[in-house]
């Protein structure tokens, strides 16, 4: 009887990763006002993410290095709520109604019309409010960041209480013989 032995051949193949794009290879930026907390790679997207902490305020900043011409910025604030009155949503809208440097009543609307933005919006979640912007044009991107930062850090609403009435709710009388009605941008959105 002839015995046969099955033999298997194992080939080992080394799978090499493609080289990282130059922008991702770079060391994260440094600034004396910020402490670099950690650096992580998000391999699925080939992105290097650096987390910083502002030394004076404790604010966290995340910087993502990616081989992408679209530049993205966002600022987010914790806005926890105790009831369903919609205060964070009213604040989100109110913040985008002018600021110390940009006194136009609706700079957000003007940016939508005149910017090269690829994304421009704001979102209110149950526990936070976010203000993201994006553009492929560097000059436009920095302009958007400048407008958004001034809006959230120096909003016109701090000095002008009519902003809250316009964005939240207020009474209106359309005719003397008619009853008062509720009006407001967020009020109408939440109907």
């Amino acid at each position: 009887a002839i015995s046969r032995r099955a033999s298997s051949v194992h080939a080992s193949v080394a799978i090499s990763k493609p080289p990282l794009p130059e922008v991702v290879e770079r060391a994260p930026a440094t600034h004396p006002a910020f402490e670099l907390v950690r650096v992580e790679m998000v391999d699925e997207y080939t992105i290097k993410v650096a987390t910083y902490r502002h030394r004076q305020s404790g604010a966290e900043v995340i910087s993502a290095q990616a081989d992408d011409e679209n530049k993205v910025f966002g600022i987010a604030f914790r806005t926890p709520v105790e009831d369903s009155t919609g205060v964070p949503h009213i604040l989100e809208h109110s913040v985008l109604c002018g600021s110390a440097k940009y006194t136009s009543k609706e700079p957000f609307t003007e940016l939508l019309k005149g910017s090269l933005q690829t994304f421009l919006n704001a979102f209110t979640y149950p526990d936070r409010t976010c203000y993201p912007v994006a553009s492929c044009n560097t000059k436009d991107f920095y302009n958007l960041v400048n407008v958004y930062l001034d809006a959230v850090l120096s909003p016109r609403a701090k000095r002008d209480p009519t902003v809250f009435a316009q964005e939240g709710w207020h009474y209106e009388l359309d005719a003397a013989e008619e009853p008062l009605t509720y009006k407001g941008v967020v009020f109408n959105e939440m109907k």
Side-chain angles (χ1 to χ4, degrees):
I2 300 175
S3 102
R4 293 188 183 180
R5 261 200 269 177
S7 65
S8 60
V9 177
H10 295 286
S12 94
V13 178
I15 300 174
S16 63
K17 290 183 179 180
L20 290 174
E22 189 270 330
V23 68
V24 178
E25 277 287 341
R26 278 190 227 135
T30 60
H31 190 280
F34 291 89
E35 168 194 0
L36 179 60
V37 177
R38 69 180 165 277
V39 178
E40 302 168 287
M41 274 301 298
V42 181
D43 292 326
E44 299 91 322
Y45 299 104
T46 317
I47 296 173
K48 183 185 288 181
V49 179
T51 303
Y52 301 87
R53 182 174 296 108
H54 187 253
R55 295 181 194 281
Q56 188 173 357
S57 70
E60 288 186 357
V61 174
I62 296 172
S63 174
Q65 293 168 231
D67 189 21
D68 190 335
E69 65 183 28
N70 201 29
K71 297 145 197 62
V72 180
F73 169 83
I75 186 165
F77 298 92
R78 290 186 178 122
T79 52
V81 297
E82 294 180 9
D83 55 35
S84 61
T85 56
V87 170
H89 194 182
I90 295 167
L91 286 171
E92 172 208 313
H93 279 251
S94 298
V95 158
L96 297 175
C97 288
S99 66
K101 282 176 20 183
Y102 304 98
T103 57
S104 163
K105 192 173 179 182
E106 293 190 6
F108 184 79
T109 305
E110 291 176 29
L111 287 173
L112 282 170
K113 290 189 286 188
S115 168
L116 299 172
Q117 52 83 21
T118 54
F119 191 80
L120 180 72
N121 211 331
F123 308 106
T124 300
Y125 295 94
D127 62 344
R128 67 193 174 283
T129 303
C130 309
Y131 301 88
V133 296
S135 180
C136 292
N137 180 287
T138 302
K139 186 174 180 180
D140 184 57
F141 172 72
Y142 284 113
N143 181 59
L144 292 169
V145 170
N146 195 322
V147 172
Y148 260 51
L149 281 175
D150 199 56
V152 300
L153 300 175
S154 300
R156 187 180 113 225
K158 283 175 35 178
R159 298 172 304 284
D160 183 355
T162 63
V163 171
F164 290 110
Q166 169 190 301
E167 297 300 317
W169 67 270
H170 57 274
Y171 292 116
E172 268 190 29
L173 183 62
D174 294 324
E177 64 280 353
E178 292 182 16
L180 289 172
T181 58
Y182 289 108
K183 299 283 173 108
V185 176
V186 176
F187 177 77
N188 289 333
E189 278 185 11
M190 297 178 77
K191 282 184 180 177

